[in-house]
Structure formats: C-alpha cells, structure tokens
Amino acid sequence: MSPRNRNIGQRHSRRIHALVVGFFVALAVGAAAASSPAVAATPSTATNLYVNPVKGSDTATGSATAPLLTFQAALNRVKPGTVVHLEAGTYDQNVVTKVAGLASDRIVVEGPSTGTATLFGTGHVLAVKNSYYIFEGFSIDGQRAVENREPVSSWPTSISSMASFKSSISSIVQNDRLIYIDSGSNTSGVKDTVIDHMTLTGAGGECVRIRNNATGNTVENSVIRYCGMAGVAQSGVFTYHNGEGVYIGTSSKSTGLAGAQDDASAHNTVKNDTISTYGSECVDVKENANHNTLSDSECSQNTEPLADAGSNVELRGYANTIEGNSISASAGYGIKIGSDTAKEDLGRNRIISNTFADLAAGALDDRSVAPSGQTCGNVVSGGTSPGNFTRIPGWSFACPS
C-alpha cells in the first residue's frame, strides 16, 4: 500500500475512533455532572480536538462536549496523529502551526461535514511552518471588510471588469496571503503537507505561497479565486502583479526574504484544482524551483496584460511539468517560460496534453534558450494562436505511448 493510501486509511480510522471516543466521553461527562461538582478543565491529550467558534472555551478540554473556542488554541495542543475538527462558523484570527506531524502520522485539520467553517484573517492568515499536516474541507477568506460590503457572489467574473472593481474597494482591501507555507529559520523546508478540498477567496497578494525549500507539498481538489486584490504601485510593473493562485519558490529579486537566491522548492504538486485568480498567474514557479507539477486543473482569469508579459502559468525554474490542464481566459499568454539570467535558465520544463483557449497573446511565450523537456499533445482552440510553440518539434502531436 502506498504511503498516501496508508495515510488516508489512518484518517478514516481516526474519524471512527473519534466517534467512539466522543460517545463514551459524552456518557462519562453526563454521569459526572449528575454526581460531582464542576471542576476546572485540563487540556485534552486525546487524538481528537474539537473547536466551536461560538460555544467553545480555550480553557476547555477540547473534547466533543467541551470544545475549544479558537483555531489557534487547537494548533497549540496538537501532536502527531491529532485530528482537529472545526465546527461550522466563522473564525476571525490568524493562525500558525507550532508542532510537526510525522510522515506516518500526520496532523489533520478538517472542516465540518455539514455547514461551512471559514477562517478570516490578515497578514499570513494560515502560516504553515511545520511538516506533515493535512488541511481539508474548510474555507479561508482574506477580505472580511470587502465581503461585508459586497458579497463574493456579486464580485465580477470577467477580466474586463476587475480593474474598476479593485479600484472601488482599494481603501478596505487587506494585503494578505491566505496560506503561507514557509519553515522560517528551518532551511530544510516544510514537507508533505496537503491542502485538500479547500475554498480560498480574496487574497491581497498570492492565495497560496510555497517557499524556502519546501518539498512534496500538495494543493488538490480546491477552489482558488480572486488573488491579487491589493494593488501595489511600482514603476514598470502591473499594479496587481502579486496575485498568483499558487506561488512556488522565491524570486531572486526578493532580497529581503531568506533564501531568495537559492530557494530549491521541489516536488510540490497542484492538481485537480479550479484556479481563477482574477489577478496574475494560476501557478508561478520561480528560479531554482524544480520538479513541481500543475496537472488536471482549470487555470483561468489572468488579468495581467501582454504589455506586462502576463500569463496564466509562469515557469522560471527547471524540470517542472504542466500536464492535462485547461488553460484559458488570459489577458496575456497561456504559459510563459524564461529566467532572469542565463545561469538560472536550466530548461527541461515539460508541457504535455493541455488545452489552450481564449488567450489574448497566444498559448506560449518561450524565452528560454535551454533545451525544453517533453512537449506534446497540446491543443490550441478558440481563436488562440500557438505563440512560439511552433518552434518546438512535435508540440501539436500526440505524445508517445
């Protein structure tokens, strides 16, 4: 059995265990209440922790019948194998991981089976500094003030309408990031954390950031939308340039960030997602980041125009794979490949069996002079020009079996 399948089996086992434990805890609590005076709660050492943003208390045990109040209180108590159950409601806070899970026993944070749990915050709303987590089944929103005034259902769904909308809300927008995966001073990087069946809405900058030698992390089965809500005025740069759906690695120009010159984030996977940024790229892979994959996803709604070399996907690193995606609706290119320096231009990026449509500047802008990886099976439709795919032999033909 694969490690991933073992983890899935463990997650199901933990949930069954949680139900059994919760049942007997409820019986025990009821019996104690009938026969004993109330006593001060002590932190729970159980595998399961429950959080209720209305009825909880951070001095409670964290059991099903005595839940915690805040998301952060739960993260402060977890250990390998803990499952945190977020009950439906709104969580207004920034949260940060404190403890690492294990490869064989990850820490799970899951949303409710009915209703919605939504985390609102500023800055780095969910900061993931430790390895071996699973976050699944809840929402993260970065623009509480905007949503209070204008519900997400009323936000524009066309590229042409976004600039005026963003301008109209500029005074109340938070320049935040929704999920920030960064180990901080630990240069070995965050490993094997999974973002699964999440809904991420309204980041001031990038919706998901994966950096500082992060490896083996996965963003899957999720909806990522409205990134790059906060404009930053810079000479010669698109106002909403910092609006990626998933940003992997670190630009070598970001000299204020640790490891900017050598961020080898690798083997991270973005798959089966719907990414509509209404900002810049769906996925942006920076110099030195390698062997990362975008697959089987819908990637659309880049508003960064041709004049600013905008694209739905940008590859500045090497040996990355873009496979089986629908790439559409861009004010610039579908995919852009290139690095700032010849030293960083290592090529070998693979572009396989994608469908391109409705791209103002064409399907591909390949500025790399390094040898490309396998490029085949791609289809260009809807009036979109191939761009300079045509210089790559076999780009429009079926891939070898």
Side-chain angles (χ1 to χ4, degrees):
M1 181 182 291
S2 72
R4 182 66 189 276
N5 287 336
R6 278 200 299 273
N7 274 294
I8 291 170
Q10 289 166 353
R11 286 162 58 192
H12 288 311
S13 296
R14 284 196 290 264
R15 288 173 184 148
I16 293 169
H17 176 70
L19 291 173
V20 174
V21 169
F23 174 74
F24 285 107
V25 166
L27 289 179
V29 169
S35 60
S36 305
V39 295
T42 56
S44 173
T45 58
T47 302
N48 294 276
L49 289 172
Y50 293 82
V51 188
N52 186 308
V54 177
K55 299 178 180 180
S57 168
D58 284 346
T59 60
T61 62
S63 69
T65 55
L68 300 169
L69 177 67
T70 65
F71 194 152
Q72 186 62 57
L75 290 184
N76 291 345
R77 296 191 190 183
V78 299
K79 59 185 180 180
T82 297
V83 180
V84 176
H85 306 267
L86 299 178
E87 297 189 33
T90 299
Y91 297 79
D92 285 287
Q93 59 183 151
N94 297 347
V95 295
V96 57
T97 65
K98 303 286 189 179
V99 176
L102 299 172
S104 59
D105 213 0
R106 289 189 250 181
I107 296 167
V108 178
V109 181
E110 63 179 18
S113 57
T114 59
T116 302
T118 302
L119 174 65
F120 284 97
T122 60
H124 297 166
V125 182
L126 171 57
V128 183
K129 294 182 175 292
N130 305 95
S131 299
Y132 305 118
Y133 275 77
I134 297 171
F135 298 96
E136 62 176 357
F138 62 97
S139 298
I140 303 178
D141 288 28
Q143 304 301 329
R144 184 65 180 268
V146 177
E147 293 187 31
N148 286 343
R149 194 175 85 181
E150 301 188 46
V152 175
S153 60
S154 70
W155 293 9
T157 56
S158 67
I159 291 174
S160 60
S161 301
M162 285 309 300
S164 60
F165 173 67
K166 289 180 180 179
S167 178
S168 73
I169 60 174
S170 61
S171 63
I172 57 174
V173 163
Q174 296 286 341
N175 192 8
D176 49 18
R177 277 73 180 149
L178 304 184
I179 298 178
Y180 204 87
I181 298 176
D182 178 359
S183 59
S185 59
N186 181 358
T187 56
S188 64
V190 173
K191 298 179 177 64
D192 201 18
T193 281
V194 177
I195 310 299
D196 185 15
H197 284 94
M198 298 284 286
T199 299
L200 310 179
T201 304
E206 58 266 24
C207 282
V208 179
R209 181 67 182 272
I210 302 173
R211 70 169 304 271
N212 199 9
N213 299 309
T215 58
N217 302 286
T218 301
V219 181
E220 61 184 354
N221 307 312
S222 295
V223 174
I224 301 171
R225 56 187 182 172
Y226 296 106
C227 316
M229 303 293 286
V232 178
Q234 303 175 70
S235 177
V237 179
F238 182 55
T239 302
Y240 302 100
H241 177 71
N242 296 317
E244 297 88 350
V246 182
Y247 183 133
I248 300 174
T250 308
S251 169
S252 55
K253 297 176 182 177
S254 299
T255 54
L257 290 175
Q261 304 306 310
D262 190 26
D263 185 349
S265 291
H267 300 285
N268 300 290
T269 300
V270 180
K271 64 180 182 180
N272 299 319
D273 298 299
T274 299
I275 309 175
S276 306
T277 64
Y278 298 99
S280 54
E281 297 92 353
C282 295
V283 173
D284 188 356
V285 183
K286 291 303 186 185
E287 287 85 355
N288 299 310
N290 62 91
H291 295 90
N292 301 287
T293 299
L294 168 66
S295 67
D296 302 307
S297 296
E298 294 183 17
C299 167
S300 68
Q301 310 302 332
N302 159 59
T303 64
E304 189 167 15
L306 173 60
D308 294 295
S311 62
N312 277 9
V313 177
E314 181 174 51
L315 300 176
R316 291 180 171 272
Y318 64 93
N320 300 289
T321 296
I322 310 299
E323 182 171 9
N325 304 284
S326 172
I327 299 174
S328 65
S330 171
Y333 293 98
I335 297 176
K336 181 175 66 179
I337 303 175
S339 302
D340 283 335
T341 67
K343 179 181 177 180
E344 296 165 324
D345 184 13
L346 300 177
R348 292 179 282 153
N349 292 296
R350 303 165 70 240
I351 305 173
I352 302 170
S353 300
N354 302 283
T355 299
F356 298 86
D358 190 22
L359 306 166
L364 175 69
D365 178 26
D366 186 357
R367 303 180 183 188
S368 172
V369 297
S372 63
Q374 184 182 26
T375 303
C376 62
N378 298 287
V379 176
V380 177
S381 63
T384 292
S385 66
N388 58 4
F389 259 133
T390 52
R391 78 172 181 80
I392 302 174
W395 76 268
S396 62
F397 302 107
C399 295
S401 58

